[in-house]
Amino acid sequence: AKEEIHTRFNHLDILVNNAGIAWKGDAFDAEVASGTLNVNYFGTLNVTNAFLPVMNINSRIVNVSSRAGKLCSLSPQLRAQFFKDDLTVDQLTSLMRQFISDVDRGDYAEKGWPRQAYGVSKIGVSMLTRIQARDIAIQRPDIRLNCCCPGWVKTDMAGSAAPLTPYQGSATPVELCLLPGSAPTGRFWYNQKVQDWV
């Protein structure tokens, strides 16, 4: 896809990482943890890395995260690791892999993880946003990279009981696609406002 965009258009103005998966019901094991993180975290990481070289001047990257991925669901010790100011992408990825391993061994709770693969995957997406925005700003301060929670939206994944239509849920992601150059980068947004990480 990157090569096709580069060949046909030379650059990309807006990248929205919206692919996501959540297991239905109470399923929770290493397969669920691995499958969820492979799409939600590693997918976002790999797509952003692939397209970054063709991002245009003043382009925007939006990662769709979730309020389910709040740091307060982690133990204080884990929370401190995730929120280190100098945390690298490699270190974050190691934490994501550690979650899968801890679930596989069955000692995830003792290690400070919640019983929630989707939530942990979105913690990863949010912290990835924070790290990549910091690192990208060194060479490309023109790019704005943010993440957001669109709310509980009627989709195949979220179900028909969700109160928001897709149109309503698109409000915050679309706003982040159109942010001015003076807007924040590397932040978490909900209801079109910057929110705390925790």
Side-chain angles (χ1 to χ4, degrees):
K2 182 194 79 171
E3 295 305 325
E4 181 178 356
I5 288 173
H6 183 61
T7 301
R8 294 180 61 189
F9 307 107
N10 195 44
H11 58 255
L12 186 64
D13 295 305
I14 296 170
L15 172 63
V16 179
N17 288 306
N18 188 40
I21 187 173
W23 256 253
K24 299 292 186 182
D26 198 39
F28 185 77
D29 56 22
E31 180 183 358
V32 171
S34 178
T36 304
L37 268 65
N38 280 343
V39 174
N40 298 355
Y41 173 75
F42 289 103
T44 299
L45 171 63
N46 293 336
V47 170
T48 301
N49 285 343
F51 281 95
L52 192 56
V54 298
M55 297 305 294
N56 199 11
I57 296 172
N58 296 319
S59 56
R60 301 291 179 258
I61 302 174
V62 180
N63 295 331
V64 177
S65 189
S66 172
R67 290 188 298 163
K70 286 290 193 176
L71 290 169
C72 60
S73 66
L74 304 171
S75 69
Q77 293 79 11
L78 268 180
R79 197 181 312 150
Q81 291 184 59
F82 273 94
F83 210 60
K84 285 172 51 181
D85 286 336
D86 59 350
L87 186 69
T88 66
V89 171
D90 286 346
Q91 290 170 337
L92 175 61
T93 297
S94 292
L95 286 168
M96 294 288 97
R97 295 191 192 280
Q98 186 63 49
F99 171 68
I100 297 171
S101 297
D102 292 343
V103 172
D104 190 37
R105 283 196 306 270
D107 61 353
Y108 64 91
E110 292 88 339
K111 296 292 184 64
W113 300 103
R115 191 180 186 278
Q116 175 53 266
Y118 180 79
V120 170
S121 76
K122 292 303 187 177
I123 290 173
V125 170
S126 294
M127 293 300 99
L128 179 65
T129 301
R130 183 172 179 258
I131 295 166
Q132 287 191 317
R134 178 198 70 201
D135 294 347
I136 289 170
I138 296 171
Q139 299 292 330
R140 294 290 309 274
D142 56 292
I143 293 177
R144 288 291 173 273
L145 193 166
N146 288 280
C147 63
C148 67
C149 175
W152 187 16
V153 181
K154 289 183 177 71
T155 63
D156 289 341
M157 186 178 79
S160 60
L164 299 179
T165 66
Y167 178 80
Q168 291 169 321
S170 71
T172 299
V174 168
E175 177 164 325
L176 297 186
C177 290
L178 303 174
L179 285 178
S182 59
T185 188
R187 302 301 299 271
F188 177 82
W189 297 67
Y190 175 66
N191 275 345
Q192 299 170 277
K193 296 179 181 177
V194 173
Q195 305 290 317
D196 291 335
W197 294 108
V198 296

